[in-house]
Amino acid sequence: MSDDHASSLISAEVRHVEALLESRGLLGAGEIDTRIDEFLAGGTPANGARIVAHAWTDPGFAARLLADANEAIREVGLSMAGGLQEQRLKVVANTAEEHNVVVCTLCSCYPIALLGPSPSWYKSEAYRSRVVRDPRGVLAEFGLELPAATRISVWDASAESRYMVVPRRPAGTDGLTEPELAGLVTRKGLIGTAAV
Ligand code: FE
């Protein structure tokens, strides 16, 4: 069998599976194309980290980001409009009083454009079912022990709404440049399962 023939057989099989998933309602029409577009558009946690570093250094941007994230991220050249329709983005900021963590209890909705493909633990049944019931316990398992007085807010993503967390800026980082600050921000920090 030639390589060309093999790859056209594979393409046909993929299209067949895609059509089956769509016909059974497991996959929205065009969802695969949407995901591929987002992927090719350069979704990576570096985007989210860049947003956070900018918010840490520019209080005006931070305020606009919390008020209307879809508009604000355009200021740094990013957008949630990569797919078929723009997903609503809500950005929530951690404070001394409140820690935020993101989940999709139904499936695995996630701001791919800002964080890249989601980690496997985010999609796991264990995380999705437990973080709502026992966020403090789940965060402790991630190594994040929060003071008892810190309130924990859990944000449940959906097909229409995606969330991202702005971690608290670490102490002792006053002298760092914005790119250096972005380098401190991790994917877990942007989801809320790490402090930064
Ligand atoms: Fe989901």
Side-chain angles (χ1 to χ4, degrees):
M1 193 189 299
S2 75
D3 282 357
D4 274 1
H5 186 55
S7 74
S8 73
L9 277 180
I10 290 168
S11 301
E13 280 182 29
V14 168
R15 278 195 302 276
H16 179 64
V17 170
E18 200 176 342
L20 268 180
L21 289 170
E22 286 182 5
S23 73
R24 292 178 188 181
L26 296 171
L27 197 66
E31 195 174 334
I32 287 182
D33 286 345
T34 303
R35 294 302 172 97
I36 290 172
D37 286 347
E38 286 170 339
F39 195 67
L40 295 178
T44 150
N47 290 340
R50 197 152 60 80
I51 293 170
V52 166
H54 196 49
W56 282 346
T57 54
D58 182 340
F61 175 74
R64 292 191 294 280
L65 184 66
L66 300 184
D68 184 345
N70 289 76
E71 269 312 304
I73 64 172
R74 293 180 197 279
E75 296 178 35
V76 291
L78 295 167
S79 160
M80 294 295 286
L84 295 175
Q85 70 179 70
E86 182 161 1
Q87 296 159 347
R88 200 184 74 93
L89 175 67
K90 171 109 181 118
V91 173
V92 288
N94 292 341
T95 64
E97 294 78 34
E98 181 182 25
H99 181 88
N100 297 281
V101 61
V102 180
V103 65
C104 174
T105 53
L106 267 184
C107 43
S108 58
C109 298
Y110 190 77
I112 294 173
L114 308 183
L115 274 72
S118 60
S120 55
W121 57 259
Y122 183 84
K123 293 174 271 204
S124 72
E125 172 75 25
Y127 178 73
R128 286 162 37 217
S129 60
R130 291 184 52 232
V131 75
V132 174
R133 284 203 316 269
D134 179 22
R136 199 170 293 274
V138 169
L139 293 180
E141 286 168 23
F142 276 95
L144 180 58
E145 305 268 2
L146 292 168
T150 303
R151 191 170 68 250
I152 303 175
S153 297
V154 181
W155 299 87
D156 194 354
S158 69
E160 297 80 31
S161 294
R162 307 295 159 100
Y163 297 91
M164 192 185 85
V165 175
V166 175
R168 296 173 70 195
R169 181 172 174 163
T173 58
D174 286 359
L176 298 189
T177 64
E178 215 172 296
E180 285 168 341
L181 287 169
L184 303 176
V185 181
T186 68
R187 181 168 67 179
K188 283 182 183 166
L190 298 166
I191 301 172
T193 52
V196 187

